[in-house]
Amino acid sequence: KAFGALGGCGLTEFVGTAIGHTIGLVIANVDPLLHEKMKINPKYRSIGIIGARTGAGPHIFAADEAVKATNSEVVLIELARDTEGGAGHGCLILFGAEDVSDARRAVEVTLNEVHRTMGDVYGTPAGHLEFQYTARASGALNKAFGAPLGQAFAITVGAPAAIGVMLADTAAKAATVQAVGYASPGNGTSFSNEVIFMFTGDSGAVRQAVIAARDVGKTLLATLDPSEIKSTTTPYI
Amino acid sequence: KAFGALGGCGLTEFVGTAIGHTIGLVIANVDPLLHEKMKINPKYRSIGIIGARTGAGPHIFAADEAVKATNSEVVLIELARDTEGGAGHGCLILFGAEDVSDARRAVEVTLNEVHRTMGDVYGTPAGHLEFQYTARASGALNKAFGAPLGQAFAITVGAPAAIGVMLADTAAKAATVQAVGYASPGNGTSFSNEVIFMFTGDSGAVRQAVIAARDVGKTLLATLDPSEIKSTTTPYI
Amino acid sequence: KAFGALGGCGLTEFVGTAIGHTIGLVIANVDPLLHEKMKINPKYRSIGIIGARTGAGPHIFAADEAVKATNSEVVLIELARDTEGGAGHGCLILFGAEDVSDARRAVEVTLNEVHRTMGDVYGTPAGHLEFQYTARASGALNKAFGAPLGQAFAITVGAPAAIGVMLADTAAKAATVQAVGYASPGNGTSFSNEVIFMFTGDSGAVRQAVIAARDVGKTLLATLDPSEIKSTTTPYI
């Protein structure tokens, strides 16, 4: 049994794995009995499946690239309260497609993108920071966060949630951006210990707001724990 | 202070402990002030209490045996988001009885059964799998999952939730079963990172569906972490 | 980068840290864009922020002292499902003030009080117990728990939740108190594995009820794990 297998595990439904205890799967023809219980649009016989123990933002932004690159649609995004004892979420994302090859391709693109979108995730034993940015939001970001289609869009995430409040205020003041949403432990998250701020605007302004928030976040998270604050992979913003 | 004490801790309310940081208690006469706040049927003066940090399926299936074996009723089942950093649930189960000896007996039966019902729970650092089966569902399974009384009933559980989707599809296709329910991180669980599939049918078909899902689950969970996938106690299905 | 810095981290918004991965922050003028999304009363331009990975009761009782001592109001209390793999909550508490110095002072008082209010928090790998008491409840306790203003008020918390049920029954029977609330994993908590009992009454009776519950809680928690059950700081009740 291979760890982090890309080549498969003997099941045709298995697509691959990625960082964050992330698994990608595909079902060519969902059992009709199950399909009905899942309340997915019946026209999508094939579904692609992304699941992770750690991460929701990274996976949703990765899935957004998959929607752009394939003939598929995101039909469900659910955030578990997870991160394996951490303060955030895991996720379950379903792609619907009429053709199994499209569903598989969407999962492959997502798994490949997750390495990049983990780049501005920073964790210590005390909490975590997450920043995501895209120049052009597509269906996954629209469904998950209400991002306006085709516009620049970003999120800042801070945990414990108090840090997330400060990231939001910093981003809002750093450049001319428009608030799209604000989620907190009791309102819009799955009771995670995060504040998530979602915003759009001119792409330069959106990036500038994210970068300002990232600097403040690192300074604040450092007050709670002496661990080095480093990227999960490689920063991309 | 004894660990895993069966003989007691000096409190008459203490019944015993079991795997999963599970404790069993009994209250002969619930304080009327509290009884009202708990919103339990007032005819049950005595309550039996099962609580666990890890496990909900194992405890609910164990409680179902207790309902069959005693003159008690399950009056409340609540699932905490727990498992001590894992992807699943803990639980709080209350039995109501008119006589304290019935409440105590229900707790004793449940504690004894949990060792068995943990048999098809398989965990690794990446997630877990759970399978439960009964030839004849009683009140606890009816209350928790809507299981039809007196019928064969089973559940498959996979975490991260993506694996649970695949277990559901595998079970649904492996034999002629009827779906009773489907729970996911955002719909029907307490934001756990699980998909739970609940089904009934001919007892042979139900068992066959569980066994097929169990094989697939072990193969998929192995792709995320190299740890051996072994039963928490001894498989029973 | 300092650990547990009281003197600051270079940001004027930083107030300090406390036990429980607790951070205190202040924003003199919340960005209007963000202010609207946060749904806070617009008259409060300045907000004080308390966030913690571990603790909600300790922080709410500490914040109650801050409300008494300053010209501020608690405008939001949200409980994350957290405790870093434990069974309980983290929290986000926002103070509103018309003047930044009042908001800052409220955060300072809270941070200082948390050391005391962690005094009757007792944890082991199996769960935790928490007891809080005040002779006179103010705005934070009223907002969080419905405590009657100016009255003696206490809570008992037990995790796993089964122990919390027993603490509630013990407190209710130990003295003449009035139940204010009862929260459980599926009703009133953020799916934490706790039962919280909230009660008021004559101050002597309320204290007596807490102390009786504390004795029972320690005995029960000891049956699940052999670790010594000791105060997080120093008991104060």
Side-chain angles (χ1 to χ4, degrees):
Chain A
K1 286 164 183 173
F3 175 52
L6 293 172
C9 62
L11 291 173
T12 55
E13 292 86 353
F14 177 74
V15 180
T17 64
I19 193 170
H21 279 146
T22 300
I23 192 167
L25 303 164
V26 66
I27 301 178
N29 288 287
V30 179
D31 184 89
L33 170 86
L34 178 63
H35 209 297
E36 189 195 323
K37 287 282 172 192
M38 294 176 82
K39 292 170 189 152
I40 306 171
N41 186 331
K43 81 171 178 179
Y44 296 125
R45 294 295 306 276
S46 297
I47 61 169
I49 309 167
I50 290 285
R53 293 291 310 280
T54 295
H59 297 77
I60 297 166
F61 274 73
D64 206 56
E65 298 304 314
V67 168
K68 292 176 194 168
T70 64
N71 191 18
S72 70
E73 194 189 322
V74 169
V75 295
L76 178 135
I77 299 176
E78 290 186 347
L79 273 56
R81 175 68 188 86
D82 205 339
T83 54
E84 307 180 9
H89 296 109
C91 65
L92 175 65
I93 300 175
L94 300 187
F95 296 96
E98 297 185 45
D99 191 282
V100 64
S101 64
D102 289 322
R104 175 178 289 272
R105 183 75 192 126
V107 171
E108 286 170 348
V109 171
T110 304
L111 290 174
N112 284 335
E113 288 288 328
V114 165
H115 189 271
R116 177 181 64 82
T117 55
M118 283 283 188
D120 283 292
V121 178
Y122 305 84
T124 77
H128 61 260
L129 309 168
E130 180 191 340
F131 308 94
Q132 302 289 350
Y133 164 81
T134 181
R136 184 168 66 84
S138 189
L141 293 171
N142 179 260
K143 186 170 185 78
F145 301 117
L149 290 169
Q151 301 298 304
F153 180 74
I155 62 171
T156 62
V157 183
I163 292 178
V165 176
M166 192 62 74
L167 300 185
D169 189 62
T170 303
K173 287 171 174 166
T176 304
V177 296
Q178 288 84 50
V180 171
Y182 172 88
S184 58
N187 194 2
T189 71
S190 299
F191 298 102
S192 74
N193 202 338
E194 297 175 324
V195 160
I196 308 173
F197 185 49
M198 312 147 212
F199 51 97
T200 186
D202 169 75
S203 68
V206 170
R207 275 192 86 244
Q208 186 182 329
V210 167
I211 290 165
R214 187 173 59 186
D215 289 344
V216 166
K218 287 178 181 180
T219 303
L220 291 177
L221 189 56
T223 66
L224 287 170
D225 187 278
S227 302
E228 188 189 354
I229 294 173
K230 56 182 177 183
S231 163
T232 305
T233 57
T234 306
Y236 79 91
I237 302 175
Chain B
K1 287 163 182 171
F3 175 51
L6 293 172
C9 62
L11 292 172
T12 55
E13 292 86 353
F14 177 73
V15 179
T17 64
I19 193 171
H21 280 146
T22 301
I23 192 167
L25 303 164
V26 67
I27 302 178
N29 287 289
V30 179
D31 184 89
L33 170 87
L34 178 62
H35 209 297
E36 188 194 325
K37 288 281 172 192
M38 294 176 81
K39 293 170 188 153
I40 305 170
N41 186 332
K43 81 171 178 179
Y44 296 124
R45 293 296 307 274
S46 297
I47 61 169
I49 309 167
I50 290 285
R53 293 290 310 278
T54 294
H59 297 77
I60 298 167
F61 274 74
D64 206 56
E65 298 304 314
V67 169
K68 291 176 195 169
T70 64
N71 190 19
S72 69
E73 195 189 322
V74 169
V75 293
L76 179 134
I77 299 176
E78 290 185 348
L79 273 56
R81 175 67 188 87
D82 205 337
T83 55
E84 307 179 11
H89 295 108
C91 66
L92 176 64
I93 300 175
L94 300 187
F95 295 96
E98 298 185 45
D99 191 281
V100 63
S101 64
D102 290 321
R104 176 177 289 272
R105 184 73 191 126
V107 172
E108 287 169 349
V109 172
T110 304
L111 290 173
N112 285 334
E113 287 288 327
V114 165
H115 190 272
R116 177 180 64 82
T117 55
M118 282 282 189
D120 283 293
V121 177
Y122 305 83
T124 77
H128 61 259
L129 309 168
E130 180 191 341
F131 308 93
Q132 302 289 351
Y133 164 81
T134 181
R136 185 168 64 84
S138 188
L141 293 172
N142 179 259
K143 185 172 186 76
F145 301 117
L149 291 169
Q151 301 297 305
F153 180 74
I155 63 171
T156 63
V157 183
I163 292 177
V165 176
M166 192 62 74
L167 300 186
D169 189 62
T170 303
K173 286 172 174 166
T176 304
V177 296
Q178 286 86 51
V180 170
Y182 173 88
S184 58
N187 194 1
T189 70
S190 299
F191 298 102
S192 74
N193 202 338
E194 296 174 324
V195 160
I196 308 172
F197 185 49
M198 313 147 211
F199 51 98
T200 185
D202 169 76
S203 68
V206 170
R207 276 191 85 244
Q208 187 182 329
V210 167
I211 290 166
R214 187 172 60 185
D215 289 343
V216 166
K218 287 178 180 179
T219 303
L220 291 176
L221 189 56
T223 67
L224 287 170
D225 187 277
S227 303
E228 188 189 354
I229 294 172
K230 55 182 177 184
S231 164
T232 304
T233 57
T234 307
Y236 79 91
I237 303 174
Chain C
K1 286 164 182 172
F3 175 53
L6 292 173
C9 62
L11 292 172
T12 54
E13 291 88 352
F14 177 74
V15 180
T17 63
I19 192 172
H21 280 147
T22 301
I23 192 166
L25 303 164
V26 67
I27 301 178
N29 287 288
V30 179
D31 185 90
L33 171 86
L34 178 63
H35 209 297
E36 189 195 323
K37 288 282 172 192
M38 293 176 83
K39 293 170 188 151
I40 305 171
N41 186 333
K43 82 171 177 179
Y44 296 125
R45 294 295 306 274
S46 297
I47 62 170
I49 309 167
I50 290 284
R53 293 290 310 279
T54 294
H59 296 77
I60 298 166
F61 274 74
D64 206 56
E65 298 303 315
V67 169
K68 290 177 194 168
T70 64
N71 190 17
S72 70
E73 194 189 323
V74 169
V75 294
L76 178 133
I77 299 176
E78 290 185 349
L79 274 55
R81 175 65 188 88
D82 206 336
T83 54
E84 307 180 11
H89 296 108
C91 65
L92 175 64
I93 299 175
L94 301 186
F95 295 96
E98 297 185 46
D99 190 281
V100 64
S101 64
D102 289 322
R104 176 178 288 272
R105 184 75 191 125
V107 171
E108 286 170 349
V109 172
T110 304
L111 290 174
N112 285 334
E113 287 288 328
V114 165
H115 189 272
R116 177 181 63 82
T117 55
M118 282 283 188
D120 283 292
V121 178
Y122 305 84
T124 77
H128 61 260
L129 308 169
E130 180 190 340
F131 308 94
Q132 303 288 352
Y133 164 81
T134 182
R136 184 168 65 85
S138 187
L141 293 172
N142 178 260
K143 186 172 185 75
F145 300 118
L149 291 169
Q151 300 298 304
F153 179 74
I155 62 170
T156 61
V157 183
I163 292 178
V165 176
M166 192 63 73
L167 300 186
D169 190 61
T170 303
K173 287 173 174 166
T176 303
V177 296
Q178 288 84 51
V180 170
Y182 173 88
S184 58
N187 193 2
T189 71
S190 298
F191 298 102
S192 74
N193 202 339
E194 296 174 325
V195 160
I196 307 173
F197 185 49
M198 311 148 211
F199 50 97
T200 186
D202 169 75
S203 68
V206 169
R207 275 191 86 245
Q208 187 182 329
V210 167
I211 290 165
R214 188 172 59 185
D215 289 343
V216 165
K218 287 179 179 178
T219 304
L220 290 176
L221 189 55
T223 66
L224 286 170
D225 187 277
S227 303
E228 189 190 355
I229 294 173
K230 54 182 178 185
S231 164
T232 304
T233 58
T234 307
Y236 78 92
I237 303 174

